[in-house]
Amino acid sequence: MAQNAKVTVHPAYKVGEISERLFSAFLEPIGTMVNGTMFNPKHPTADEQGFRRDFIDALKKTKVPAVRLPGGNFVSAWQWKDSIGPRDQRKVHLDPAWHQYILNDVGHDEYLQWAEKVGTEPLYTVNMGTGTIQDAMDLVEYTNQAGGTYWSDLRKKNGHEDPYDVKMWYLGNEMDGPWQLGSWDKNPEGYGHKVLETSKAIKWIDETIETGVCGSSAPFMEGFPAWDEAVLDKCYDVVDYVSVHHYHTAAPGDTKALLGGSLYYEDFINTEIAMIDYVASKHRSPKQVMLSFDEYGAMQRPLQELHPGYGRYNMARNHYRFDPERRYILHDPDNMPERQFPGGDMINALSMASIQLALLRHADRVKIGCMTGGLPALAASNHDHVWRAASHYVFMQLMKYAKGVALDAKVESETYDMPGYAIEDTSQYTGKEGVNYIDAASAWDEENNRLAVFVINRNEESDYPLTVDLKGFEGYKPTGAYKLHTNDLELKNTYENDELLMPEEEKDYTFENGEFKLYVKPLSWNVYVFEKE
């Protein structure tokens, strides 16, 4: 039996307001996400635009607040003007970022109209690789201007009378990445100046919008965080967010490193916040730029061969290779390969939830969070069906209960050490000492007198006797306790049974003198809700 663990929450431990956009998703036309899942004109549920209504209906029920679209690396050479109007007149292009054909069956209007059908806010990414300032201006005018101009009237002609009123615009994607078309890896000041002029121009077209500038694509980037600083120093006064991405990786079976990966996210966030505030001080600016963590994920991947002396900072060299045998892929939405990930639902749900808790703990500055696998997490799918994986239930509980303000949940528990490791040359992790087995975050909806505490047990073997100290919340009592746990880590929900893994009510607890006590299962997700009468 493990030693007692304790989580203390108090109304004085406020971190910051929780944005509705914090639990959002990301969409890009690679793999089956667009071609096959979102769009398949041959699917039995396809609507008049070719969208799968089963997928739309499933997402609509979740009320996912926002989706970043249409990419991703895809947008670095995408010509949006060739994706509008009658489909049979649209231009087909090559997508060098992903070595695929872009048929533009799903174009600018379709992405935004799909978002309308789902009932989610589109967060739009602009081509700042091969795209120009004028392209971005025309795009915003086409999208948001009511009428009376060439581009806005063309939108009406193309079938959408009202403006889409898109509020959030990302100016590029991973612009420090040599894998991008038009990368600014070697010239951050140039990119920062382009963002300055682009953001200024599109805000003069629609002064209600917000814009985001790209920060580092990962904490492993050679220029991090100096690249970010150089960019932001050029455009601080005209942007609202810094956009960052990270994908945490651990070796198969190394669950401690996988679930401890949220600490690297926090390191990344803390560094970016310090960089932003340093630039603000240089500009003598009272403005506070926020963070958008709009691509993130966690995965298990075998350790790769390392090349001593080749170094960890060789992303550019790795992406300046040319394979004469490589061919462009033409995707058929009705004949897409199924993607099968190893292992069951539980570890994947926990690894993603651990990152979401890290974002929640920084809700004062992280205002947008778009899980890369957020749409399949909410609505898993294959060629024929849609169902709820275990991640669906976790995501839904966060959207439901993480309201109001984030609180700093003080954790006391047994700890473990994570030795440093390298997945490959560019993904190298320093070790971490004293990692709590209990991972926690909290949200207080003061207006509705509701407190939620979220707990992950990272321990693979032991139940934990856990105390949640609520003495500062006088009059609050438990109104709901839920746990998600399985002894079979290979278990997966399916279309035939998507309730194999779902939270169940926890009834075996005590509550006395402001202390909520119970045992938490190993490798489990737990939610405790308290309300004031």
Side-chain angles (χ1 to χ4, degrees):
M1 180 67 68
Q3 297 176 4
N4 290 346
K6 185 177 182 179
V7 176
T8 303
V9 293
H10 193 281
Y13 296 171
K14 289 183 180 179
V15 173
E17 293 284 339
I18 301 167
S19 165
E20 287 190 1
R21 292 168 166 174
L22 189 61
F23 301 108
S24 298
F26 169 62
L27 177 67
E28 183 175 11
I30 56 174
T32 64
M33 202 62 252
V34 169
N35 292 298
T37 300
M38 170 190 176
F39 175 77
N40 182 356
K42 296 181 181 179
H43 194 272
T45 70
D47 66 11
E48 71 284 353
Q49 290 181 292
F51 294 134
R52 284 178 56 171
R53 286 174 295 186
D54 61 342
F55 191 55
I56 288 173
D57 291 344
L59 290 174
K60 194 171 184 177
K61 290 177 183 177
T62 70
K63 298 182 180 179
V64 56
V67 177
R68 176 173 168 251
L69 50 77
N73 293 345
F74 161 78
V75 301
S76 64
W78 190 47
Q79 302 176 62
W80 73 271
K81 292 173 183 176
D82 292 341
S83 79
I84 59 177
R87 277 182 173 154
D88 61 357
Q89 297 177 26
R90 297 179 187 178
K91 296 178 181 178
V92 176
H93 292 286
L94 296 178
D95 171 20
W98 293 113
H99 264 73
Q100 60 185 343
Y101 286 88
I102 296 299
L103 303 180
N104 280 319
D105 288 332
V106 179
H108 172 74
D109 288 290
E110 282 79 19
Y111 279 111
L112 296 181
Q113 289 165 24
W114 177 83
E116 289 178 338
K117 292 178 179 184
V118 171
T120 190
E121 178 190 4
L123 311 174
Y124 203 98
T125 310
V126 178
N127 175 1
M128 291 286 281
T130 64
T132 66
I133 297 173
Q134 188 65 57
D135 286 334
M137 293 169 65
D138 296 343
L139 175 62
V140 174
E141 186 177 317
Y142 179 94
T143 305
N144 283 7
Q145 174 68 21
T149 68
Y150 171 82
W151 289 108
S152 58
D153 288 343
L154 182 59
R155 182 199 67 242
K156 292 183 176 185
K157 180 181 177 181
N158 288 337
H160 203 273
E161 179 69 23
D162 296 327
Y164 291 107
D165 199 26
V166 174
K167 294 300 184 187
M168 180 64 202
W169 297 84
Y170 293 100
L171 300 181
N173 172 79
E174 298 184 353
M175 297 306 299
D176 65 334
W179 52 86
Q180 286 289 293
L181 275 299
S183 167
W184 294 87
D185 174 31
K186 305 301 182 185
N187 186 8
E189 292 84 0
Y191 169 61
H193 184 74
K194 185 176 182 180
V195 167
L196 170 72
E197 294 303 317
T198 304
S199 186
K200 177 182 73 178
I202 65 176
K203 284 188 174 184
W204 281 351
I205 290 173
D206 182 351
E207 299 196 23
T208 70
I209 65 175
E210 298 175 300
T211 56
V213 60
C214 292
S216 284
S217 307
F220 310 121
M221 299 301 292
E222 182 176 6
F224 172 73
W227 190 92
D228 309 49
E229 179 199 339
V231 168
L232 192 59
D233 195 32
K234 292 293 183 183
C235 61
Y236 190 89
D237 297 317
V238 297
V239 297
D240 306 284
Y241 292 87
V242 173
S243 162
V244 291
H245 301 166
H246 182 43
Y247 295 93
H248 175 67
T249 311
D254 193 349
T255 305
K256 288 185 175 68
L258 185 68
L259 299 187
S262 58
L263 276 69
Y264 299 108
Y265 279 87
E266 300 209 49
D267 289 345
F268 194 4
I269 291 167
N270 289 332
T271 301
E272 286 290 324
I273 290 172
M275 180 278 300
I276 291 170
D277 291 346
Y278 170 65
V279 174
S281 69
K282 287 179 65 178
H283 284 243
R284 305 292 194 268
S285 176
K287 175 182 177 179
Q288 193 172 58
V289 170
M290 299 299 180
L291 270 179
S292 172
F293 224 116
D294 42 81
E295 280 188 41
Y296 66 85
M299 66 199 80
Q300 298 181 74
R301 190 155 57 94
L303 301 179
Q304 306 296 306
E305 180 184 358
L306 301 180
H307 303 86
Y310 195 58
R312 60 177 291 188
Y313 302 125
N314 286 282
M315 288 191 177
R317 193 182 306 170
N318 290 339
H319 286 87
Y320 297 153
R321 297 175 181 172
F322 305 97
D323 181 0
E325 302 299 320
R326 186 159 61 171
R327 297 291 179 265
Y328 276 79
I329 301 169
L330 180 61
H331 293 300
D332 176 4
D334 196 47
N335 187 28
M336 296 296 293
E338 300 292 344
R339 297 186 69 188
Q340 294 292 332
F341 294 98
D345 279 0
M346 192 68 205
I347 295 300
N348 180 60
L350 289 177
S351 64
M352 301 308 284
S354 68
I355 301 169
Q356 290 175 304
L357 293 191
L359 302 185
L360 179 58
R361 287 191 289 267
H362 292 273
D364 58 327
R365 300 299 294 273
V366 181
K367 296 299 182 180
I368 301 176
C370 300
M371 183 192 294
T372 299
L375 295 180
L378 290 168
S381 65
N382 58 18
H383 178 277
D384 300 309
H385 301 298
V386 175
W387 66 93
R388 297 168 296 183
S391 292
H392 165 92
Y393 300 102
V394 175
F395 213 139
M396 290 295 292
Q397 287 184 317
L398 283 164
M399 285 193 286
K400 180 177 181 179
Y401 294 118
K403 301 285 188 181
V405 297
L407 300 178
D408 186 6
K410 303 295 185 181
V411 176
E412 302 169 50
S413 79
E414 288 184 304
T415 63
Y416 65 94
D417 295 336
M418 294 193 306
Y421 64 97
I423 294 294
E424 23 85 342
D425 289 330
T426 56
S427 299
Q428 299 187 28
Y429 296 90
T430 57
K432 293 287 186 182
E433 296 181 351
V435 180
N436 286 313
Y437 275 113
I438 294 296
D439 186 14
S442 182
W444 182 26
D445 186 351
E446 187 173 4
E447 182 179 349
N448 294 302
N449 292 317
R450 187 174 71 185
L451 172 72
V453 179
F454 309 96
V455 172
I456 294 173
N457 181 5
R458 294 175 172 132
N459 196 298
E460 300 168 76
E461 300 174 353
S462 298
D463 289 8
Y464 262 99
L466 175 67
T467 298
V468 180
D469 186 336
L470 304 169
K471 295 187 183 73
F473 285 90
E474 186 175 351
Y476 279 73
K477 296 181 180 180
T479 57
Y482 309 93
K483 63 182 177 184
L484 177 62
H485 169 261
T486 179
N487 291 320
D488 182 1
L489 295 178
E490 296 300 313
L491 196 63
K492 285 178 179 281
N493 286 1
T494 62
Y495 171 70
E496 290 74 22
N497 188 350
D498 64 359
E499 297 182 352
L500 284 172
L501 273 174
M502 62 182 297
E504 57 182 295
E505 191 172 355
E506 174 66 78
K507 298 181 179 179
D508 190 12
Y509 62 80
T510 63
F511 184 70
E512 187 176 358
N513 298 323
E515 291 189 335
F516 178 81
K517 295 184 176 183
L518 76 172
Y519 287 88
V520 289
K521 292 289 187 181
L523 294 181
S524 62
W525 164 256
N526 307 272
V527 181
Y528 310 126
V529 183
F530 307 90
E531 297 185 43
K532 186 177 183 180
E533 295 179 355

